[in-house]
Amino acid sequence: MKIAEEQRTIDDRREKIKKLSIIIAAYNSLDYLRECLDSIYAHSPEAGFDIIVVDNASSDGTGEIIKKDYPDVLLISNKKNKGFATACNQAIAATDSKYILLINSDCEVYKGSIDRLMDYFKEVPKAAIAGPKIVNSDGSLQYSCRRFPSFFGAAVHSILTHIYPDNPFSKRYKLVDVSRKEPFPVDWVSGSCMMIRRNALNDTGPLDENYFMYVEDIDICYRMWQNGWEVHYMPHSQILHHIGGSSRKQSSKTSMGPDSPKEGTGDDRSIDTALDKKHSDKDRISRKAAIRASYRMQRSVFYFFWKNYKKSFRVLLIPFIIPILGLRLIIAVLKSLIKG
């Protein structure tokens, strides 16, 4: 009943069609969410827009604060954590804007960030998804556009990145040596911030809800390319993502790699920060969160390969990736225990 009432509120308040819907899936990330919303309102796009926050059963008062302090934000409240893809799909289905911006609650936009992405869609009609340049809180670059993972490349990257981060396989996968001064087509961009053309999404279908977290960004980009659309990296638009340079949080949506832990919707407190605390109960909780996140990562990676390769000869290679994923999980467990 509550969700139905909120949907009616959304319908009533959409008196005119908005050109852009900004969608944020939130889970216990209120402090970051405030900063995200404040940055959007401070640097609002010129076109008509609305903001939809999908609260995945947060326990930090997210829903109450949104209603109280951000009355213009459209709120969808879930009774349980449904994951990132499902939450985004709920908001997508509740809107009818021409463009959709998916953005993590731990991101902040700058002046012109959103407008430049929208302008790029006008310039490049074949672009279905565009991802901005993403920087860490210390100003360093996030490798938020990457190649689609091959069986062999993903396996080698997964192992060597822990031992030799600058290995050629990881650098090739992350496009480390590719110039990012100008926009260019790319296999996939990070779901921590991506703009989607709605008519392209209508062609491919919504985010795959079989991904609770991780890899849904790779999957939707892969399907766009399969359906004749394109995915582009647009560095003239820039956003801040609190990961890498911040000890508070490690929750990148730049997935398909062990260097991008996230829990739930990608908006839980930093695993590393929690492990540094001396209270044993918090240590145990954070270790379990790290292990659970790694398990979900491996499951999502396996699902991606199975889903997309099961009808080709490459299905014969799937059994070989299972021990690699198992090794990644073991490494995650050992790292958590060592840090604990």
Side-chain angles (χ1 to χ4, degrees):
M1 180 64 70
K2 185 177 181 181
I3 293 178
E5 291 175 355
E6 288 172 347
Q7 180 60 56
R8 284 195 295 272
T9 300
I10 290 174
D11 295 337
D12 292 341
R13 290 168 60 181
R14 295 184 61 83
E15 296 177 356
K16 64 177 182 178
I17 296 177
K18 308 291 185 181
K19 182 169 275 189
L20 173 69
S21 292
I22 301 173
I23 296 173
I24 307 171
Y27 178 70
N28 288 335
S29 56
L30 181 56
D31 291 340
Y32 288 117
L33 179 59
R34 283 181 179 273
E35 294 175 355
C36 179
L37 291 172
D38 290 345
S39 74
I40 293 172
Y41 282 119
H43 307 298
S44 299
E46 294 181 1
F49 73 98
D50 50 13
I51 303 175
I52 304 92
V53 170
V54 184
D55 180 24
N56 266 330
S58 297
S59 58
D60 60 358
T62 290
E64 292 75 12
I65 294 299
I66 292 297
K67 292 176 183 178
K68 175 176 176 286
D69 295 345
Y70 301 93
D72 291 331
V73 170
L74 308 178
L75 176 67
I76 298 176
S77 301
N78 290 329
K79 294 183 178 180
K80 65 177 182 179
N81 185 354
K82 295 186 176 183
F84 181 83
T86 299
C88 289
N89 285 342
Q90 288 178 274
I92 291 170
T95 59
D96 54 9
S97 55
K98 187 175 183 179
Y99 305 126
I100 299 160
L101 181 70
L102 303 183
I103 184 167
N104 271 19
S105 63
D106 59 347
C107 291
E108 297 176 38
V109 304
Y110 298 112
K111 183 178 180 179
S113 298
I114 300 174
D115 287 316
R116 292 187 186 108
L117 288 175
M118 296 179 71
D119 290 341
Y120 189 72
F121 271 168
K122 298 174 185 176
E123 298 170 6
V124 187
K126 289 294 292 181
I129 295 176
K133 176 182 178 181
I134 301 177
V135 297
N136 296 305
S137 52
D138 64 356
S140 60
L141 176 71
Q142 286 188 25
Y143 294 111
S144 57
C145 62
R146 303 187 178 190
R147 299 180 188 273
F148 287 130
S150 65
F151 278 110
F152 180 75
V156 176
H157 161 71
S158 299
I159 297 173
L160 288 185
T161 193
H162 294 283
I163 306 168
Y164 176 32
D166 291 330
N167 71 83
F169 296 96
S170 295
K171 291 176 70 174
R172 182 178 184 276
Y173 168 59
K174 296 179 180 180
L175 302 175
V176 171
D177 296 326
V178 174
S179 173
R180 286 171 166 77
K181 293 182 179 180
E182 298 295 331
F184 62 93
V186 67
D187 284 352
W188 67 276
V189 295
S190 168
S192 58
C193 184
M194 62 163 57
M195 187 169 286
I196 306 175
R197 193 186 299 269
R198 185 179 291 272
N199 60 346
L201 195 65
N202 292 338
D203 284 348
T204 62
L207 299 179
D208 188 336
E209 296 180 8
N210 287 303
Y211 298 104
F212 182 84
M213 60 178 182
Y214 296 114
V215 190
E216 71 286 325
D217 44 10
I218 304 179
D219 184 88
I220 190 64
C221 290
Y222 185 83
R223 286 189 282 135
M224 289 296 182
W225 283 108
Q226 293 292 100
N227 281 273
W229 291 93
E230 297 179 357
V231 177
H232 286 232
Y233 179 73
M234 222 298 271
H236 299 161
S237 171
Q238 179 173 307
I239 70 152
L240 172 69
H241 188 197
H242 290 291
I243 177 178
S246 171
S247 63
R248 293 178 300 168
K249 181 183 286 271
Q250 289 186 357
S251 58
S252 174
K253 290 215 18 85
T254 304
S255 48
M256 202 65 180
D259 49 343
S260 56
K262 67 180 172 171
E263 169 62 15
T265 63
D267 287 319
D268 289 301
R269 289 297 176 186
S270 169
I271 291 170
D272 283 349
T273 300
L275 287 173
D276 287 338
K277 295 180 180 179
K278 296 181 179 180
H279 300 291
S280 60
D281 55 339
K282 292 184 179 181
D283 288 346
R284 286 194 296 270
I285 292 172
S286 54
R287 281 197 292 269
K288 288 180 180 179
I291 295 169
R292 184 168 60 249
S294 180
Y295 168 74
R296 286 172 171 165
M297 161 70 88
Q298 317 319 321
R299 186 174 62 182
S300 291
V301 171
F302 177 82
Y303 175 68
F304 174 81
F305 282 123
W306 173 254
K307 172 187 176 181
N308 294 294
Y309 297 158
K310 64 183 178 182
K311 294 183 179 180
S312 73
F313 72 93
R314 287 178 291 184
V315 70
L316 299 175
L317 299 175
I318 289 181
F320 295 98
I321 202 171
I322 295 176
I324 300 298
L325 298 179
L327 178 59
R328 288 176 60 169
L329 180 59
I330 291 173
I331 292 173
V333 172
L334 292 176
K335 287 176 66 176
S336 297
L337 293 175
I338 291 172
K339 289 181 180 180

